[in-house]
Amino acid sequence: RKEVEQDPGPFNVPEGATVAFNCTYSNSASQSFFWYRQDCRKEPKLLMSVYSSGNEDGRFTAQLNRASQYISLLIRDSKLSDSATYLCVVNRDNYGQNFVFGPGTRLSVLP
Amino acid sequence: NAGVTQTPKFQVLKTGQSMTLQCAQDMNHNSMYWYRQDPGMGLRLIYYSASEGTTDKGEVPNGYNVSRLNKREFSLRLESAAPSQTSVYFCASSEAGGSQPQHFGDGTRLSIL
């Protein structure tokens, strides 16, 4: 089993839809959590950090459930520009070398 | 507003050739990383440098060497390229500590024939 697993996708949704991605992690000692987006043939870019109490940034909401060891990302009112691959990233401890990247979930927002 | 800069962006090598991938960051970050990304897989850590003067192996270090030249620069060297090293390579940097997110360069697409 991979240490970080994500919905396999792809997700094809119409503009304006709400879409949710899930990510599970196996290491219960994991400390920090992030969502990155990666456009085709581009570098990963930080979308948002995920905090224990959950957090929101505009149309994006991230949740963390430590007991069940999963992280979610909700995108409301999808835009064409949201089309990308979304990477779940987990840090096993407080050391930078222990980031683990999920394989990503691809989202296509259709007109 | 450069952030993390990688060179070259593309490279084609023959098996057995050597080359160095360059990375520089202007954010005064202590930590720097080299990853490779292959289709269907998450990014995998090759080497990292927690601070100037230190380097350590990551998940997939075989066939690679690194140099942390100074706080800004972290290079990755392939001494004898193999087809299995065909990949997209990303350099990243971050403030010290795992709670800080990483910032990535725009990648080097490397093909080994």
Side-chain angles (χ1 to χ4, degrees):
Chain A
R1 184 187 170 198
K2 291 181 182 176
E3 189 166 346
V4 176
E5 298 193 70
Q6 296 186 238
D7 290 332
F11 284 58
N12 298 313
V13 303
E15 261 187 299
T18 295
V19 60
F21 304 134
N22 291 315
C23 168
T24 58
Y25 60 95
S26 60
N27 188 335
S28 60
S30 297
Q31 296 286 328
S32 306
F33 310 90
F34 309 90
W35 283 104
Y36 280 72
R37 69 170 280 166
Q38 186 174 25
D39 294 291
C40 186
R41 301 178 70 79
K42 299 282 190 179
E43 75 275 22
K45 291 184 179 178
L46 178 68
L47 180 65
M48 57 198 305
S49 301
V50 185
Y51 302 119
S52 296
S53 55
N55 47 300
E56 188 174 303
D57 183 2
R59 298 182 293 109
F60 300 86
T61 300
Q63 296 283 348
L64 168 63
N65 185 319
R66 285 189 185 271
S68 301
Q69 294 180 207
Y70 81 80
I71 307 146
S72 64
L73 176 68
L74 182 77
I75 305 175
R76 292 182 299 277
D77 188 23
S78 300
K79 310 291 185 191
L80 295 176
S81 57
D82 293 333
S83 296
T85 296
Y86 290 83
L87 307 177
C88 172
V89 182
V90 173
N91 194 287
R92 296 187 189 114
D93 50 37
N94 280 328
Y95 297 100
Q97 66 272 21
N98 287 325
F99 284 90
V100 182
F101 286 76
T105 301
R106 189 155 60 89
L107 171 67
S108 292
V109 181
L110 308 172
Chain B
N1 197 27
V4 180
T5 303
Q6 289 184 236
T7 56
K9 294 194 183 332
F10 303 93
Q11 186 70 50
V12 178
L13 294 177
K14 294 181 179 179
T15 297
Q17 286 185 314
S18 62
M19 80 160 296
T20 300
L21 280 61
Q22 307 286 353
C23 175
Q25 52 93 8
D26 62 3
M27 295 176 283
N28 202 36
H29 286 164
N30 286 308
S31 301
M32 297 185 74
Y33 315 83
W34 276 105
Y35 291 91
R36 61 178 289 173
Q37 186 175 34
D38 301 295
M41 304 185 72
L43 277 78
R44 292 183 293 168
L45 184 65
I46 304 170
Y47 270 93
Y48 66 95
S49 171
S51 61
E52 184 180 354
T54 67
T55 61
D56 284 287
K57 295 178 181 180
E59 181 185 353
V60 289
N62 292 344
Y64 306 94
N65 285 301
V66 290
S67 294
R68 184 73 183 267
L69 304 170
N70 47 55
K71 191 171 186 179
R72 289 188 64 247
E73 298 173 287
F74 188 38
S75 62
L76 178 72
R77 182 161 178 84
L78 286 72
E79 291 291 351
S80 180
S84 61
Q85 294 177 304
T86 293
S87 189
V88 181
Y89 291 85
F90 289 104
C91 177
S93 71
S94 71
E95 298 282 358
S99 63
Q100 302 301 316
Q102 298 181 337
H103 301 266
F104 286 84
D106 54 10
T108 295
R109 282 158 184 77
L110 184 60
S111 293
I112 317 294
L113 305 178

